[in-house]
Amino acid sequence: MARKEELARMWERTLEFLYNQRPAFEREGAGGYKPGLDTSLALDKLYNEPHRRYRIIHIAGTNGKGSTAHLLASCLQHCGYRVGLFTSPHFIDFRERIRVNGRKISRNFVMQWVAEYRQKELNGFEPSFFELTSAMAFDYFAWRNVNVAVIETGLGGRLDSTNIVTPDLSIITNIGLEHQQFLGNTIEEIASEKAGIIKHGQPVVVGNAEDSVRKVLEDRAKQLYSNIRFAQDKPEVLDAKYEDGMLRLQTANYGTIDCELIGDFQIENANTVLTAFNILKRLKYRVKENAVREGFATVVETTGLMGRWMKLGTDPLTICDSAHNVASITQAMKQLKKETYDKLHMVMGFMADKDINGILDLLPRKATYYFTQAHTTRALPVTELKEIALQHGLKGSIYNNVTEALDAARKAALPRDVIYIGGSMYVLAELLQAIGYDDKLES
């Protein structure tokens, strides 16, 4: 028992060290944002450039990065590869960010890596939380001898800590207005930042891009002699419908695919992933159609994905979703309209740096709201949220945390109602932690 308690204290001290290096952007907002690659390159050199020991697929975009990354990783794993997966943020456990074949990085590795890092010298550099985490992931994947790593950018692309890699394939899911204070005030400027992951002579797949955004990406690819493919131009997904709790896709080259991820927005992600596999075939990846189908059908179980149109209960149907900006909330509300219910109960909390007015404009007026906030300095205070919501015709009560808000919604809801929880990944994180949810893919 004493040994277990000591390990628990060591783990907490390790996490405290990581978080306090420089606050993580997702916890502290602008104070945790650190653009530039000099520190990441120095860390990479310190660990003998571990990312050069395996193949890489690099993913950027405004929405769908996480789902796309998990789908790719699941399919590649079923194709027989040992797959590293690096994503952010985490919901419950820091270790969710770094996985090999779906299993989270071990606590022992994290603690040992941090302890050894603290003995090293990185003169002149002060790594941020995300820079250290990225370096840890790259080193862990090399230590675990992965064949391929699927790497999701944190924020942006060009100056993101992960952008020291030269991938076999870059993927940009889509471009929308987000983080304008860091990435640019126009969608074209943001597209230029995302396009920074395109590498010389390496192919790139774009999920969806229109007009001026498309031109920015095409121009960047042309400058770098990179073959660019837009998944929307020649769709792999020909038809989609819901059957037996799955999203059933009819595809051009992979037959009928049952996707475990529900939501119309997953059709675009699926189209992007399948287009990417067409390119990976040309790059001599071992792609098997039946393995791709299996990867789609078991992505949650295989990779531990959480928070994407996730069903938490029935009677009343209770759904949580990680949509948190205008583009993703638009898709989530379209999906919500497909549900049949008597009354709608919305448990919502947001980060203060989002386009709150733009998001609230999208939310249904005929719903009862349970306003809350996550316990982070980035959160929009719940009292302020209620005031702004009233200006948009949204009425409800305020609650100190998401657990209280959900409890109130459940007490008020009848079996034929629907409860939706969302607005922020951090609201979801606190909810999933409170209910004791875990993906059960332990190392």
Side-chain angles (χ1 to χ4, degrees), residues 92 310 312 403 406 410 429-438:
I92 301 170
M310 186 173 168
L312 297 180
T403 306
L406 180 57
R410 282 176 166 164
E430 292 181 7
L431 170 65
L432 295 174
Q433 190 166 14
I435 66 175
Y437 182 89
D438 196 355

Side-chain angles (χ1 to χ4, degrees), residues 163-339:
N163 202 32
I164 61 174
V165 303
T166 300
D168 288 345
L169 175 67
S170 300
I171 298 175
I172 300 172
T173 55
N174 49 56
I175 307 292
L177 289 172
E178 62 162 351
H179 303 303
Q180 288 98 313
Q181 68 271 46
F182 309 122
L183 304 182
N185 293 318
T186 69
I187 198 165
E188 293 82 10
E189 289 174 340
I190 293 173
S192 182
E193 288 296 312
K194 305 284 187 185
I197 71 164
I198 302 174
K199 298 301 192 301
H200 188 277
Q202 302 301 106
V204 56
V205 167
V206 178
N208 189 6
E210 303 294 340
D211 304 329
S212 59
V213 166
R214 184 180 181 115
K215 186 177 187 308
V216 169
L217 300 177
E218 287 175 331
D219 287 348
R220 179 64 177 170
K222 185 176 181 180
Q223 291 170 6
L224 295 173
Y225 302 95
S226 172
N227 177 45
I228 188 167
R229 175 75 64 85
F230 291 87
Q232 71 203 74
D233 289 352
K234 191 178 180 181
E236 268 293 330
V237 177
L238 306 176
D239 187 47
K241 58 184 176 180
Y242 296 97
E243 287 191 16
D244 301 324
M246 303 282 270
L247 179 60
R248 181 157 295 170
L249 308 171
Q250 301 299 328
T251 72
N253 291 294
Y254 297 86
T256 299
I257 291 178
D258 285 336
C259 182
E260 195 173 13
L261 303 184
I262 299 298
D264 288 359
F265 45 88
Q266 296 296 353
I267 298 171
E268 181 178 306
N269 294 333
N271 202 46
T272 303
V273 169
L274 295 177
T275 301
F277 273 111
N278 291 341
I279 303 299
L280 293 176
K281 285 179 183 178
R282 297 180 184 179
L283 297 175
K284 307 303 182 184
Y285 275 68
R286 188 173 60 251
V287 178
K288 307 170 186 176
E289 283 78 5
N290 63 330
V292 171
R293 290 192 290 271
E294 186 68 16
F296 271 80
T298 64
V299 59
V300 173
E301 178 185 353
T302 302
T303 69
L305 180 63
M306 291 184 278
R308 273 68 170 184
W309 206 257
M310 186 173 168
K311 187 183 294 186
L312 297 180
T314 57
D315 303 323
L317 175 62
T318 304
I319 296 165
C320 70
D321 189 71
S322 58
H324 58 279
N325 54 35
V326 168
S328 57
I329 290 286
T330 297
Q331 293 297 323
M333 293 305 102
K334 286 181 180 177
Q335 189 66 33
L336 192 55
K337 287 180 180 178
K338 294 178 180 290
E339 301 292 343

Side-chain angles (χ1 to χ4, degrees), residues 35-54 56 58-59 86 130-139 151-154 157-168 170 196-199:
L37 300 179
D38 290 348
T39 305
S40 293
L41 289 167
L43 278 168
D44 193 46
K45 186 175 181 180
L46 189 67
Y47 287 93
N48 299 312
E49 301 179 327
H51 66 88
R52 298 189 185 278
R53 300 176 214 171
Y54 41 84
I56 289 174
H58 200 195
I59 304 174
F86 179 58
F130 192 74
E131 286 166 337
L132 278 180
T133 303
S134 301
M136 183 192 301
F138 294 153
D139 196 34
I151 306 294
E152 178 191 349
T153 59
R158 181 175 66 92
L159 299 177
D160 187 78
S161 301
T162 64
N163 202 32
I164 61 174
V165 303
T166 300
D168 288 345
S170 300
I197 71 164
I198 302 174
K199 298 301 192 301

Side-chain angles (χ1 to χ4, degrees), residues 62 176-181 185 190 323-330 348-363 378 380 384-385 388-389 392 394 423:
T62 298
L177 289 172
E178 62 162 351
H179 303 303
Q180 288 98 313
Q181 68 271 46
N185 293 318
I190 293 173
H324 58 279
N325 54 35
V326 168
S328 57
I329 290 286
T330 297
M348 305 296 288
F350 303 96
M351 296 295 102
D353 55 2
K354 301 300 179 184
D355 179 5
I356 302 300
N357 287 299
I359 291 172
L360 294 177
D361 271 342
L362 300 169
L363 301 185
R378 282 185 63 205
L380 179 68
E384 187 177 341
L385 171 57
I388 301 173
H392 292 263
L394 309 178

